Amino acid sequence: MTSIVDDTNQVGSAHLVFYPLLFITSVLWLIHRWQQQSRFFKLGNVLPGPAGVPFFGNALLAFGKKPDQLVDIALGYAEQYGTVIRAWLGSKLIVFLLDADDVEVILNSQVHIDKAPEYRFFKPWLGEGLLISTGPKWRSHRKMIAPTFHINILKSFVGVFNKNSKSVVEKMCSEVGKTFDVHDYMSTATVDILLETAMGITRKTQDESGFDYAMAVMKMCDIIHQRHYKFWLRFDAIFNFSSFFEQQKNFLNIIHGLTNKVIKSKKETYFENKAKGFIPPTLAELTRDDDNVLATDNKTLSDTVFKGYRDDLDFNDDNDVGEKKRLAFLDLMIESAQNGTHQLTDQEIKEEVDTIMFEGHDTTAAGSSFVLCLLGVYKDVQVKVYNELYEIFGDSDRPVTFADTLQMKYLERVILESLRLYPPVPVIARKLNRDVNVVTNNYLIPAGATVVIGTYKIHRSPKYYKDPETFNPDNFLPENMQNRNYYSYIPFSAGPRSCVGRKYALLKLKILLSTILRNYETTSAVPEKDFKLLGDIILKRSDGFRISIEPRKRVPINLGINKKKTTQ
Ligand code: HEM
């Protein structure tokens, strides 16, 4: 008797669960079917890509995977599906573009300039700064900021680059004979250089707050990286309850506190000087062409490499007015805002300074670390770099001049090749506001999709590079570059939203790396094939940038005797 009652109760409760479940599943199934019939889904599904499951699409592929495993998965799909690959993250369409012709359609456009929603993680830090802003705001700020990176301004930073490079050499002295992670040194040097060139301050002039600021910038980069590759931290609801949220709040207090303080004091100084009748040179004066020092044949290799997509950084730079008083980016922005050339609020200035600090930091730290590791592997290349430097400097330890950097042709090829194989920004993501037809199969990508440009993969395409996986600085010999598609080399992106700090980065890298290599020989015990890459917003090595160093004897190296090639 009891058992019949129990059975009846069980059947009843089974029905209570079964029917609502059936109902929910049916509704979800109908939504799924309806979605699949929409134009957006139909167009998305025309594109080649892995099969997904209802509602999740391909999102489960990333679940439980480590960042370096994700890199392998993504690269595997590229082999399987070609140069246009579709993936669904739930109902979100992501389209990967891996061919230079398709990439040109996006990067060269004045329409497809909006950043993907993932860039929102930067918002609490960078606000509406140049990296994430869009529309008229981005246009007007870009117009104001691009000239502050004019070569005349950059030349005035040579002293700062030298001073900090020398300081790294001194600090690295304690590592002689040991194996250490060179990224730590590159990161610290980069933040110090940025503090001076972007804000016009040093750690010392700011006492403790300068040190705290530098540390907070590095830690904030780390938190944003974590949000990108720890899937669950992407959701604000989860992130806001994690320990990262509190840390982020503290770091942002430090960062914004110092930026605000410096802007306030710089403005006070500006008005004090103005009252005394001293008005700093305007941006227009600093970038005027009234001299002809930088003749066309003295242009750097990178000027040629990037000439295919001349942009607002190239305007006016065929000439040079020589050394002028050094003004940090912040000074230039305050001056522009005060003299009425540009309407910039203090908040906007703060956001732009913070953006430069972020963009300029991790990118160049990773870029220089990869060069030092690669030279530690390919000793024959390092010998050539060293001999070129010896020809320029002999056994002197004098600082680098701007003219010296123009002579560093081989080092420049090494830097460009390193940025090819290990582009610090391995992908660029854009949100499409309009449908776009790409060149490959004339595929139509619908508005609303996120387009991911696979810089890393394009740089390794056999279509553009002979032996693409091999480290070969001669890829940037003029004869090897002349017929190559410009969009096959995009470490700094290209077009209207290209990197505004490109020339700054290359000048700084040349001074920093040449100073280190004049003083030390680097060795990497890890061959290139064993570099473990971290699929992040900034490409790094998960195994660390480990090298060892030995002091140089400051004599030219005879290639025949010292050729210790370790090419694999
Ligand atoms: C090797 C070093 C560097 C690399 C590889 C690099 C690469 C890039 C790339 C790929 C973009 C486009 C990002 C996107 O569209 O999502 C970008 C944008 C930008 N970069 Fe760099 N960058 C470097 C150094 C610097 C430096 C040193 C600065 C400043 C001091 C800087 C400032 C910026 C800014 C402000 C933007 C945003 C431009 C805009 O949207 O209009 N970058 N960078």
Side-chain angles (χ1 to χ4, degrees):
M1 189 66 182
T2 337
S3 74
I4 291 171
V5 173
D6 280 352
D7 283 353
T8 317
N9 282 344
Q10 273 171 15
V11 170
S13 33
H15 283 180
L16 271 179
V17 176
F18 178 75
Y19 287 112
L21 253 183
L22 182 68
F23 176 73
I24 292 168
T25 314
S26 310
V27 171
L28 288 178
W29 178 249
L30 285 173
I31 294 174
H32 174 66
R33 292 294 303 161
W34 170 77
Q35 275 187 335
Q36 294 300 311
Q37 295 311 312
S38 74
R39 177 179 179 272
F40 184 72
F41 275 80
K42 277 186 181 159
L43 285 172
N45 283 331
V46 169
L47 306 172
V53 293
F55 295 106
F56 292 101
N58 308 105
L60 299 180
L61 285 171
F63 199 70
K65 302 282 188 317
K66 291 195 184 129
D68 38 0
Q69 289 173 306
L70 286 177
V71 174
D72 290 341
I73 293 176
L75 296 178
Y77 282 136
E79 298 307 319
Q80 205 176 335
Y81 295 103
T83 57
V84 178
I85 307 168
R86 174 271 303 139
W88 292 102
L89 280 188
S91 57
K92 198 170 151 180
L93 174 61
I94 318 273
V95 182
F96 295 84
L97 297 182
L98 307 176
D99 187 90
D101 289 327
D102 296 337
V103 165
E104 181 174 358
V105 175
I106 304 293
L107 291 186
N108 201 19
S109 150
Q110 292 285 349
V111 175
H112 309 300
I113 56 165
D114 286 356
K115 296 298 171 82
E118 278 70 18
Y119 287 75
R120 75 178 199 283
F121 302 145
F122 294 102
K123 204 143 188 197
W125 179 8
L126 310 181
E128 291 286 312
L130 204 57
L131 181 71
I132 37 184
S133 61
T134 192
K137 179 156 190 172
W138 168 77
R139 268 178 225 287
S140 77
H141 282 208
R142 172 92 190 189
K143 216 168 161 189
M144 195 279 294
I145 285 170
T148 67
F149 284 84
H150 187 281
I151 199 74
N152 291 348
I153 312 276
L154 302 187
K155 283 175 76 177
S156 70
F157 295 156
V158 166
V160 178
F161 295 160
N162 267 306
K163 183 183 73 182
N164 284 281
S165 304
K166 196 157 177 267
S167 157
V168 178
V169 166
E170 283 160 12
K171 285 187 198 144
M172 277 167 68
C173 187
S174 64
E175 302 286 0
V176 168
K178 303 176 196 161
T179 298
F180 66 104
D181 191 333
V182 76
H183 186 269
D184 298 343
Y185 286 90
M186 296 300 103
S187 186
T188 312
T190 306
V191 173
D192 286 347
I193 290 173
L194 280 164
L195 278 175
E196 235 172 311
T197 53
M199 294 217 265
I201 58 169
T202 65
R203 288 190 200 222
K204 278 196 194 129
T205 56
Q206 298 302 309
D207 305 319
E208 278 306 296
S209 59
F211 285 92
D212 292 348
Y213 180 90
M215 188 53 71
V217 166
M218 293 190 243
K219 299 271 187 209
M220 266 309 293
C221 287
D222 195 49
I223 290 180
I224 291 175
H225 295 170
Q226 306 256 9
R227 287 200 80 177
H228 273 91
Y229 64 77
K230 288 190 176 152
F231 183 65
W232 57 98
L233 290 179
R234 288 168 170 247
F235 301 101
D236 288 345
I238 299 180
F239 177 77
N240 293 351
F241 286 100
S242 72
S243 61
F244 291 114
F245 181 69
E246 274 308 306
Q247 291 174 28
Q248 170 165 303
K249 226 163 79 184
N250 292 336
F251 295 137
L252 289 183
N253 279 339
I254 295 171
I255 292 175
H256 292 154
L258 184 68
T259 324
N260 282 331
K261 191 174 104 184
V262 176
I263 291 175
K264 190 164 168 272
S265 93
K266 291 253 170 189
K267 268 181 83 175
E268 281 164 10
T269 314
Y270 177 88
F271 288 121
E272 276 164 26
N273 285 336
K274 202 171 171 187
K276 286 184 210 150
F278 172 71
I279 307 205
T282 63
L283 197 49
E285 282 164 359
L286 285 169
T287 56
R288 199 171 49 213
D289 305 330
D290 52 8
D291 201 350
N292 214 346
V293 180
L294 194 65
T296 315
D297 57 350
N298 260 343
K299 281 188 154 196
T300 62
L301 169 64
S302 49
D303 285 327
T304 318
V305 173
F306 300 114
K307 81 169 186 315
Y309 41 86
R310 280 179 76 85
D311 49 32
D312 48 2
L313 295 177
D314 291 311
F315 97 102
N316 245 352
D317 71 352
D318 289 355
N319 304 295
D320 170 61
V321 293
E323 281 280 323
K324 291 262 178 162
K325 185 183 172 342
R326 174 157 53 80
L327 288 173
F329 296 126
L330 173 55
D331 297 308
L332 295 166
M333 285 187 233
I334 290 178
E335 200 278 328
S336 273
Q338 293 307 321
N339 76 17
T341 318
H342 293 97
Q343 305 297 321
L344 276 176
T345 63
D346 285 2
Q347 171 70 14
E348 288 173 328
I349 293 179
K350 182 186 82 135
E351 290 173 353
E352 296 306 351
V353 170
D354 286 337
T355 298
I356 290 172
M357 289 299 300
F358 162 70
E359 269 290 332
H361 165 224
D362 246 12
T363 46
T364 37
S368 50
S369 303
F370 272 116
V371 172
L372 291 172
C373 289
L374 286 165
L375 290 179
V377 173
Y378 302 108
K379 289 297 191 76
D380 53 336
V381 176
Q382 189 173 165
V383 167
K384 281 195 199 168
V385 171
Y386 180 72
N387 281 348
E388 178 182 77
L389 296 175
Y390 191 83
E391 263 185 35
I392 301 170
F393 298 98
D395 58 4
S396 139
D397 66 352
R398 68 172 175 81
V400 183
T401 64
F402 182 75
D404 293 330
T405 63
L406 297 176
Q407 306 303 315
M408 299 176 185
K409 308 247 185 251
Y410 191 66
L411 176 60
E412 188 162 4
R413 292 215 289 277
V414 167
I415 294 171
L416 295 177
E417 175 67 350
S418 179
L419 293 175
R420 178 182 76 84
L421 284 173
Y422 302 99
V425 182
V427 296
I428 298 165
R430 294 280 165 85
K431 182 171 166 262
L432 292 188
N433 289 326
R434 289 197 203 158
D435 291 356
V436 65
N437 276 100
V438 290
V439 177
T440 302
N441 291 338
N442 201 25
Y443 283 134
L444 181 68
I445 308 176
T450 295
V451 166
V452 179
I453 293 165
T455 307
Y456 177 91
K457 191 69 189 160
I458 295 168
H459 284 186
R460 289 172 181 248
S461 164
K463 186 170 167 192
Y464 308 113
Y465 299 92
K466 206 171 112 202
D467 219 356
E469 302 288 333
T470 304
F471 176 68
N472 177 14
D474 289 351
N475 275 321
F476 292 92
L477 279 172
E479 60 271 30
N480 293 334
M481 282 172 359
Q482 61 194 7
N483 294 325
R484 199 182 291 146
N485 186 321
Y486 291 125
Y487 290 83
S488 64
Y489 188 65
I490 45 168
F492 296 102
S493 184
R497 284 213 89 147
S498 68
C499 173
V500 86
R502 183 181 84 218
K503 292 184 180 199
Y504 173 107
L506 288 169
L507 183 62
K508 191 199 92 170
L509 284 175
K510 278 185 175 176
I511 295 178
L512 178 65
L513 290 168
S514 65
T515 308
I516 294 172
L517 292 164
R518 281 163 71 197
N519 284 282
Y520 298 114
E521 177 185 347
T522 71
T523 303
S524 163
V526 185
E528 192 193 349
K529 68 175 170 47
D530 292 341
F531 287 5
K532 299 232 173 320
L533 299 182
L534 197 61
D536 208 331
I537 34 171
I538 302 294
L539 188 72
K540 293 194 190 151
R541 281 177 62 181
S542 59
D543 55 337
F545 292 86
R546 283 172 295 136
I547 57 164
S548 59
I549 50 170
E550 284 301 328
R552 291 267 182 209
K553 294 204 175 53
R554 296 260 171 96
V555 289
I557 303 172
N558 181 328
L559 271 175
I561 300 171
N562 289 288
K563 200 171 178 184
K564 295 187 278 181
K565 191 175 174 188
T566 52
T567 315
Q568 309 113 53

